Amino acid sequence: MIEIFTHMNYLKMALPAALAGMMIAGCNTQTKEETEQTATDSAVVQTPAPSTLNSNQSELLQTILGPREEGDGTAVLRGIAFGDPVSKVKKTEQFELFEDSTSHVGFTSETAQLETIDVQYHLDNQKKVSKITVDVYLNSADATKQLWEAGKSYFTEKGKLLKNEPKKVSWTNKNARIMMEDVSEGKDYGLKFQFTPANKTELAAN
């Protein structure tokens, strides 16, 4: 009789403990699943789609260069040649005018990805084009690298490579001396292009 009573007491004590253990295990399992699901959802939200962040950089280079010239082949960029009057620049350039001074005129364009292209036509005393600079503001290091490679390939094919440095490359062709520079700093990404007459190594910045 004593043995039966003792066994029943053991069952009364063991059963609640077992039930409590099962409840705790269930809670732990649910918490783990919820944590994993939360982590997955967070990763999906935080990872941007590359196509949304950056343009196709080969296409962007073509936008920078402008339409192919159909004239005498002297155009340097976007249908403009050195020595062209400012009146022709304003008539030919399709970007939006944002600067108009005695030393230069500037035009700008923005892509669907909010990348910006600024083109400046520097003028001599006769109001004719003496130098062209292009500043391209990009959204990422990857976009900068892709545009760099696209520019390097294009200008190497079209001209003679003069200098090849990690952050600066230059070429020459029959119409111009071209320099491309990576001007990225911190989280500000971009490239700068400079076009000067082929018979002059450098022109003073206006």
Side-chain angles (χ1 to χ4, degrees):
M1 186 73 177
I2 294 173
E3 291 179 358
I4 293 173
F5 180 76
T6 301
H7 183 65
M8 289 178 66
N9 283 341
Y10 172 77
L11 289 176
K12 287 180 180 180
M13 294 174 64
L15 185 58
L19 290 172
M22 291 174 65
M23 290 175 66
I24 292 171
C27 289
N28 287 342
T29 301
Q30 185 177 8
T31 302
K32 183 179 179 182
E33 290 174 352
E34 290 175 350
T35 300
E36 290 176 349
Q37 182 63 41
T38 300
T40 302
D41 292 343
S42 177
V44 170
V45 171
Q46 293 176 3
T47 305
S51 59
T52 302
L53 181 64
N54 304 313
S55 295
N56 179 305
Q57 299 304 304
S58 293
E59 293 178 0
L60 186 62
L61 177 63
Q62 292 305 312
T63 300
I64 294 167
L65 297 172
R68 292 188 178 183
E69 187 198 14
E70 298 179 356
D72 59 5
T74 60
V76 174
L77 185 77
R78 306 185 57 74
I80 301 299
F82 295 125
D84 281 347
V86 67
S87 57
K88 179 182 176 181
V89 174
K90 291 180 178 180
K91 182 179 178 180
T92 304
E93 181 56 70
Q94 297 178 357
F95 288 172
E96 180 183 354
L97 179 69
F98 78 99
E99 287 182 324
D100 190 355
S101 74
T102 57
S103 62
H104 66 274
V105 286
F107 298 82
T108 189
S109 180
E110 190 173 80
T111 71
Q113 288 74 24
L114 304 182
E115 301 152 322
T116 303
I117 305 167
D118 288 345
V119 184
Q120 290 188 331
Y121 298 92
H122 299 262
L123 309 172
D124 61 18
N125 294 332
Q126 285 74 45
K127 305 298 181 186
K128 295 182 178 181
V129 177
S130 60
K131 181 173 70 172
I132 305 171
T133 57
V134 182
D135 294 298
V136 187
Y137 304 95
L138 300 165
N139 296 328
S140 70
D142 284 343
T144 305
K145 181 179 179 181
Q146 290 170 22
L147 183 57
W148 175 273
E149 293 300 329
K152 191 173 180 179
S153 176
Y154 176 84
F155 291 114
T156 299
E157 179 182 346
K158 299 294 183 180
K160 178 183 177 182
L161 183 65
L162 295 178
K163 186 180 294 185
N164 186 8
E165 298 176 352
K167 293 285 187 177
K168 186 182 294 185
V169 186
S170 60
W171 304 263
T172 186
N173 59 32
K174 65 177 183 178
N175 295 327
R177 178 186 173 98
I178 304 121
M179 184 202 68
M180 178 177 70
E181 183 177 5
D182 184 346
V183 293
S184 302
E185 185 174 347
K187 293 185 178 180
D188 295 325
Y189 305 103
L191 297 182
K192 184 181 187 71
F193 298 85
Q194 178 174 276
F195 302 81
T196 55
N199 59 344
K200 297 181 181 179
T201 56
E202 290 289 341
L203 286 178
N206 290 318

